[in-house]
Amino acid sequence: MEMNRCRRRHTMPFGATLLDEQLCRFRLWAPAVQRVDLCLGEHQLPMERGDEGWFMIETTAPAGSAYRYRIDGGLQVPDPAARAQAEDVHGPSLVVDPHGWLWSDEGWRGRPWEETVVYELHVGTFTPQGTFSAIIERLDYLKELGITALELMPVSDFPGRRNWGYDGVLPFAPDRRYGTPDDLKALVEAAHARDLMVFLDVVYNHFGPEGNYLNEYAPNFFTDRHHTPWGSAINFDGANAFWVREFFIENALYWLEEFHLDGLRLDAVHAIDDDSEPDILQELASRVRARFTDRHVHLVLENDRNESRYLERGGKRPRGFDAQWNDDAHHAFHVLCTGEDTGYYIDYAARTPFHLGRCLAEGFAYQGERSTYRNGAARGESSTHLAATSFVNFLQNHDQVGNRARGERIDALADTEAIRAVTAILLLAPSPPLLFMGQEWGSRNPFLFFCDFGPELAHAVTEGRRREFSRFPQFSDPAARASIPDPAAADTYTQSRLDWATAVTEQGQSRVALVRQLLALRREQIIPRLRDLPRRKAAFTVFGKQGLQVQWRLGDGTHLILIANLGTRPLSAASPLSGQLLWTTHPGRSADRDGELPGWSVGWFLDISAGEA
């Protein structure tokens, strides 16, 4: 890849924008107030009031200048569109010159979606240092593993010293504990130099509970017409919603342009209510697609509603979103491995191989069927017309580990044989797979929920979390609930940091070797056949209650076939299989095509003759 030098800046209608080395324009949308002053060092400069609630001033303020806004002569607040903060979320913002970073990846055009193998990580706990810079030292390891895309959990400035990132309140400012904006750019550039994509998790469904001052001067950001689990909903469809929508759309464009990111994962969009047409998700996707036409840019949803309409494609390009995180697939995998049947797992406990087969062949397990967990409500839309690449599958992620009371990973809950079998299914099925940091070596250290709010809010979060788990039988006793790790405790964060020493143990190296082998096979045999993947060209069969066979027609006309025994008892194969054996958990046994399948056995076959017919 040719490397040329270039500068990048996303020009926004708000925030601090350098017009030259010294002159800076400051713009704040504050429709609920009469006066805004720019607090710049010892100076307080009145800002000019314009139309639609805008305040603006141009003045001398070079890069590195600290500033705040004073609202109606009283409260001083940070810039909601600050590119960086001098301190925490309550402190002053900093003027940043995006042109100060000289990029060396002008020739980078990204990678096609079908090549995606995601590695999700939390910047603060992925390395001992917990910084953007420290991740760079691990990039060669991830590339050799077979990863093609890093996905960073949210990095927007959050209150306190530690957070998952979903409590961010300044969505344009990378949290200073992870590094400067330039440090994040250096990480992206280093990843691109290794042919790795970088995705960012963004949160457009709520602001965090501490450090959000928008209600003081722009209450139009919120509405009581809709509600979220975190309080008032974002106003995407009510009066004065235009600039609210622009704030979040510009945020998406900012990350993709100014930081040269390859994609965004939009968190929990089922918590976004928008009755307008087009809704905010459709408009955001449309604006992104219109802006970036010369390189691959990917958009991924988390959407508990299983709304397949957001995943439609127009020809070879997605109209909206490339894919959705497939929680259904995770839940089926998890129930198979652990036997758990409480909470939302109850929806997958009775016909688990069927649910997994439907996920692998059709996308969603729930495509309008009624959910027991949701009190009989129908869930989902038909997804059988979508290609398998429209769904990101996973065995672990931050939610499915960290939202457990004790943050247990799958290796602390299931047998090695079961994990090995489902790992082989995850990594070789056509849907892009996702690994959560440390999963590749079978890490057992927990990933817990942690935060660092002020004392009153921290206590409320701790009590609320313990109350949340009181409905589970194992936590019905107050003493059991009291043993749940305190999210506000520093030790909870420390326990969640990856222990890289376990990666080089014999057990850790064995799992890494398995993952590396499977991802190499995926790269060589599966990915080249995923381009132009046909729709409605997959089918599955459940046999013997615990057996599963899935067959996909790939983009070159060949057939990829999975046969698996998803239980401990031996099982006879459903029907004779044809094609070349790609991989098996039990060499010489599960490869018998029409013979006996040992417990927890997986066989993958590629029928090339089907493509020649």
Side-chain angles (χ1 to χ4, degrees), residues 31-329:
V33 304
Q34 297 300 311
R35 176 181 174 183
V36 177
D37 297 310
L38 174 67
C39 302
L40 193 63
E42 301 298 321
H43 305 287
Q44 294 190 26
L45 308 174
M47 299 177 71
E48 179 183 353
R49 181 169 184 162
D51 296 336
E52 300 183 78
W54 282 99
F55 291 82
M56 191 268 286
I57 188 173
E58 293 182 4
T59 189
T60 300
S65 299
Y67 68 99
R68 291 181 180 175
Y69 298 118
R70 182 183 291 277
I71 305 301
D72 280 338
L75 181 68
Q76 292 191 30
V77 300
D79 186 347
R83 284 177 162 91
Q85 286 292 102
E87 301 167 10
D88 202 4
V89 295
H90 303 288
S93 304
L94 291 176
V95 175
V96 172
D97 180 11
H99 282 168
W101 181 262
L102 192 61
W103 290 86
S104 65
D105 66 347
E106 189 176 15
W108 174 256
R109 294 294 177 264
R111 300 184 65 156
W113 175 249
E114 62 267 15
E115 296 180 3
T116 302
V117 176
V118 183
Y119 190 92
E120 187 194 20
L121 63 87
H122 177 268
V123 176
T125 56
F126 178 62
T127 65
Q129 301 91 334
T131 63
F132 297 128
S133 299
I135 297 173
I136 296 176
E137 301 172 14
R138 307 286 181 174
L139 293 180
D140 289 332
Y141 159 79
L142 294 175
K143 179 179 175 63
E144 291 168 6
L145 185 65
I147 300 302
T148 66
L150 280 69
E151 182 175 310
L152 309 180
M153 288 174 64
V155 301
S156 297
D157 209 357
F158 52 76
R161 294 159 291 183
R162 52 193 178 269
N163 198 281
W164 272 19
Y166 299 92
D167 294 312
V169 292
L170 298 172
F172 293 81
D175 196 277
R176 65 191 182 91
R177 286 151 195 82
Y178 299 156
T180 66
D182 282 357
D183 291 333
L184 177 53
K185 293 172 184 177
L187 169 59
V188 174
E189 187 175 76
H192 289 172
R194 292 163 174 82
D195 209 24
L196 295 170
M197 298 182 283
V198 183
F199 300 163
L200 179 64
D201 199 342
V202 291
V203 182
Y204 296 156
N205 51 46
H206 77 292
F207 288 90
E210 180 184 332
N212 171 28
Y213 294 94
L214 286 167
N215 261 318
E216 302 295 331
Y217 54 88
N220 304 86
F221 258 91
F222 307 98
T223 177
D224 57 8
R225 294 177 59 247
H226 307 298
H227 296 278
T228 76
W230 312 283
S232 296
I234 305 294
N235 174 30
F236 287 120
D237 61 358
N240 299 309
F242 175 80
W243 287 112
V244 179
R245 293 168 74 99
E246 286 297 298
F247 184 83
F248 290 99
I249 290 171
E250 291 289 346
N251 183 259
L253 297 173
Y254 162 80
W255 288 118
L256 293 168
E257 185 168 14
E258 196 159 302
F259 288 82
H260 211 206
L261 293 172
D262 300 282
L264 302 174
R265 180 256 188 192
L266 275 63
D267 176 64
V269 301
H270 50 267
I272 294 175
D273 287 311
D274 182 0
D275 296 329
S276 52
E277 182 62 41
D279 66 30
I280 184 62
L281 298 179
Q282 294 166 323
E283 184 179 359
L284 184 150
S286 177
R287 294 271 292 275
V288 167
R289 299 303 178 199
R291 175 68 65 89
F292 303 101
T293 58
D294 62 343
R295 65 182 176 99
H296 296 286
V297 168
H298 306 299
L299 297 174
V300 180
L301 293 174
E302 179 196 14
N303 187 2
D304 186 64
R305 293 173 179 165
N306 283 4
E307 294 166 310
S308 59
R309 62 182 180 271
Y310 290 113
L311 307 176
E312 302 290 347
R313 300 184 73 85
K316 295 183 179 180
R317 288 175 58 86
R319 292 177 188 151
F321 295 83
D322 294 83
Q324 175 179 315
W325 273 25
N326 197 350
D327 280 343
D328 282 356

Side-chain angles (χ1 to χ4, degrees), residues 29 41 55 81 98 163 188 201 226 245 257 298 303 306 338 347 378 382 410 416 423 484 490 548 558 601 606:
W29 188 57
F55 291 82
N163 198 281
V188 174
D201 199 342
H226 307 298
R245 293 168 74 99
E257 185 168 14
H298 306 299
N303 187 2
N306 283 4
T338 67
D347 281 345
S382 175
I410 193 68
T416 300
T423 296
I484 295 174
L548 177 63
T558 60
S601 62
L606 188 66

Side-chain angles (χ1 to χ4, degrees), residues 408-429:
E408 304 102 324
R409 293 170 177 263
I410 193 68
D411 277 86
L413 301 169
D415 293 335
T416 300
E417 271 195 308
I419 296 172
R420 178 180 172 85
V422 297
T423 296
I425 296 174
L426 171 70
L427 298 184
L428 292 183

